Amino acid sequence: MRVDVAVLRRDFPIFEAQPAPFHYLDSAATAQICRPALEALCRFEGKARANVKRGVYRLAEAATRAFEEARRQVARLLGGVDPAEVVFTAGTTLALNLAAHGLSPRLGPGRRVLVSVLEHHSNLVPWQLACARTGAELVAVPATADGRLDHEALERLLDSRVAVVALTHASNVTGAVSDVARVARAVRAVGAVLVVDGAQRIPHGPVDVRRLGCDLYAFSGHKAYGATGAGVLWGRRELLEPFPPFLGGGEMITRVTLAHSSYREPPHRFEAGTPPIGPVLALGAAARWMMAQDWQALRAHEEALTRRLLAGLAAMRDVRILGPTDVGERIGVVAFTLESHHPHDICQLLDERGVCTRGGHHCAQPLMDHFGIEASVRASLAPYNDEADVDALLEGLETVRRILG
Ligand code: PMP
């Protein structure tokens, strides 16, 4: 089935609000919110607002029910997992910090954490901190020349010293998708835990985390057509169970005396204080929207656009694409450099033509080091993009070249 982008865009209010030309190619930073998610957010804040988990009046009970329904929707998006395994956080960053904190008791001198060169800083810095705290050793898994995870190198590094492997499912720079199922089998064979940063992968379709075989999976609502402010850490129940508390406060306890506290079961143990209720409800609605889409068609649409973009860039003089050129191994996140022009200059000139792209290190400085550059331009696709968006970028780059020389 061909994707009718004009119909799909009706689900995204931004396209009515922004004046033309508007070519949004920064969905990897934040995707546009879908209408059901925006409506859920507005309905809650404007018409049904009350705190969750505590009130006994009907409005508060309804808010709590809606909150738990959002948890069920996210559980469906992740392959029909147990909703009790879904922890709401403020986003991927907090989810990965929670993972690193929760797994710290498994770390110590002589133990290793493997992270790849592809990681976003939010799946690197928390592990650096955890290793510094515990005396464990952080070991880097190399990337290939075209910016994919080096699966063979990872397998060579796996031995009984490895306690945790933390990897991105899809790179926010090269778009490369790692073979998580293959990694999971190898990680399980040495008795280690596999943490997956799904921030970039989830927006491209539902994921069955159990089938993938990973242990923890993190993502952000705002990249998956929800609101900013809410995200998820999914974890196998038996793994989350012994996690020590992370943030202390209300709602994560069973009993508090002045001297001691006892803690609730997951997921509530990790949801201290008032959660981002509106954004969580939006995330639930976005998950439901995602589950209603034909991802086979959307995937084919994205592949066709990615192919068009890669071919257009490859045909341009002095453009360097940072990532695999085979569309089967990647999502539509395409980073590149153009001669030695600074990415910020390029992005600003593109913006004058209504083309929204991102320039910088993309919070992946070790990967920039791997490529021997400081920064790059990144264009990232979502289902609501079309050929006109890709062509506007490519034409814009020709203009940029004329202006910058
Ligand atoms: N991981 C990856 C791969 C990302 O692309 C991002 C966002 N750019 C993050 C983690 C962090 O997500 P957030 O800022 O929503 O916490």
Side-chain angles (χ1 to χ4, degrees):
M1 266 261 293
R2 244 187 95 76
V3 174
D4 187 336
V5 173
V7 171
L8 194 93
R9 281 188 183 178
R10 290 192 208 135
D11 281 352
F12 291 86
I14 189 91
F15 294 105
E16 288 160 19
Q18 284 294 320
F22 177 57
H23 301 288
Y24 190 74
L25 293 171
D26 198 20
S27 294
T30 196
Q32 294 303 334
I33 190 168
C34 64
R35 196 178 295 279
L38 182 61
E39 285 173 359
L41 179 66
C42 293
R43 199 181 316 115
F44 171 72
E45 297 291 3
K47 296 185 177 156
R49 182 167 150 134
N51 215 327
V52 291
K53 301 188 189 181
R54 46 195 114 182
V56 288
Y57 51 95
R58 277 165 297 164
L59 190 64
E61 284 174 352
T64 303
R65 270 199 307 278
F67 192 82
E68 294 307 321
E69 174 57 23
R71 207 187 295 279
R72 279 191 288 279
Q73 294 301 331
V74 169
R76 282 179 64 223
L77 184 69
L78 295 176
V81 296
D82 180 351
E85 297 182 328
V86 172
V87 180
F88 285 123
T89 67
T92 308
T93 302
L94 193 67
L96 292 169
N97 276 274
L98 167 57
H101 176 83
L103 292 172
S104 286
R106 294 172 179 250
L107 306 180
R111 305 294 280 158
R112 288 182 152 189
V113 175
L114 305 190
V115 291
S116 89
V117 166
L118 290 165
E119 299 317 304
H120 186 281
H121 297 163
S122 65
N123 200 25
L124 174 56
V125 181
W127 301 109
Q128 289 176 341
L129 295 171
C131 286
R133 253 190 338 261
T134 60
E137 186 189 359
L138 192 72
V139 179
V141 181
T144 62
D146 65 351
R148 288 174 293 118
L149 177 71
D150 187 335
H151 286 82
E152 284 77 32
L154 168 60
E155 280 157 13
R156 280 195 298 275
L157 283 166
L158 283 173
D159 60 29
S160 60
R161 288 172 296 181
V162 178
V164 174
V165 178
L167 296 175
T168 190
H169 195 167
S171 163
N172 69 317
V173 176
T174 68
V177 177
S178 295
D179 186 346
V180 172
R182 171 178 169 182
V183 172
R185 282 192 295 277
V187 169
R188 202 171 315 118
V190 297
V193 171
L194 178 58
V195 182
V196 176
D197 172 356
Q200 291 299 336
R201 172 58 188 79
I202 276 280
H204 301 272
V207 165
D208 187 332
V209 287
R210 291 262 173 200
R211 188 174 306 164
L212 280 181
C214 59
D215 298 293
L216 295 164
Y217 197 92
F219 74 95
S220 297
H222 70 96
K223 294 183 201 284
Y225 319 110
T228 55
V232 167
L233 180 69
W234 167 81
R236 286 180 193 281
R237 184 190 274 267
E238 59 278 17
L239 199 73
L240 286 181
E241 209 86 37
F243 269 27
F246 180 41
L247 301 175
E251 300 313 312
M252 46 80 75
I253 48 81
T254 47
R255 178 79 178 98
V256 178
T257 66
L258 282 178
H260 291 292
S261 298
S262 50
Y263 307 109
R264 294 179 70 183
E265 294 292 300
H268 306 289
R269 189 188 307 154
F270 311 115
E271 294 176 355
T274 299
I277 307 168
V280 163
L281 301 193
L283 174 48
R288 188 198 281 267
W289 178 86
M290 281 189 69
M291 292 299 288
Q293 304 307 308
D294 174 357
W295 284 99
Q296 217 177 338
L298 292 180
R299 177 76 199 134
H301 171 65
E302 181 183 342
E303 276 185 18
L305 291 186
T306 308
R307 209 174 281 120
R308 189 182 186 98
L309 176 52
L310 289 170
L313 289 173
M316 292 174 81
R317 196 167 33 86
D318 295 326
V319 165
R320 177 181 175 199
I321 297 169
L322 311 172
T325 46
D326 176 355
V327 293
E329 290 181 33
R330 54 150 43 253
I331 50 169
V333 171
V334 180
F336 59 91
T337 57
L338 173 60
E339 296 175 23
S340 55
H341 300 314
H342 197 284
H344 285 164
D345 295 337
I346 298 172
C347 292
Q348 264 165 11
L349 288 168
L350 288 171
D351 183 45
E352 286 173 16
R353 303 171 67 94
V355 180
C356 308
T357 55
R358 180 151 297 244
H361 54 60
H362 313 299
C363 299
Q365 285 181 322
L367 187 56
M368 296 296 113
D369 293 342
H370 167 78
F371 286 123
I373 57 176
E374 291 276 321
S376 69
V377 180
R378 181 184 71 189
S380 49
L381 301 168
Y384 42 66
N385 288 121
D386 63 6
E387 284 87 353
D389 295 327
V390 171
D391 295 350
L393 169 65
L394 295 170
E395 285 157 26
L397 288 172
E398 291 297 357
T399 312
V400 167
R401 191 201 292 284
R402 272 200 302 282
I403 294 170
L404 295 180

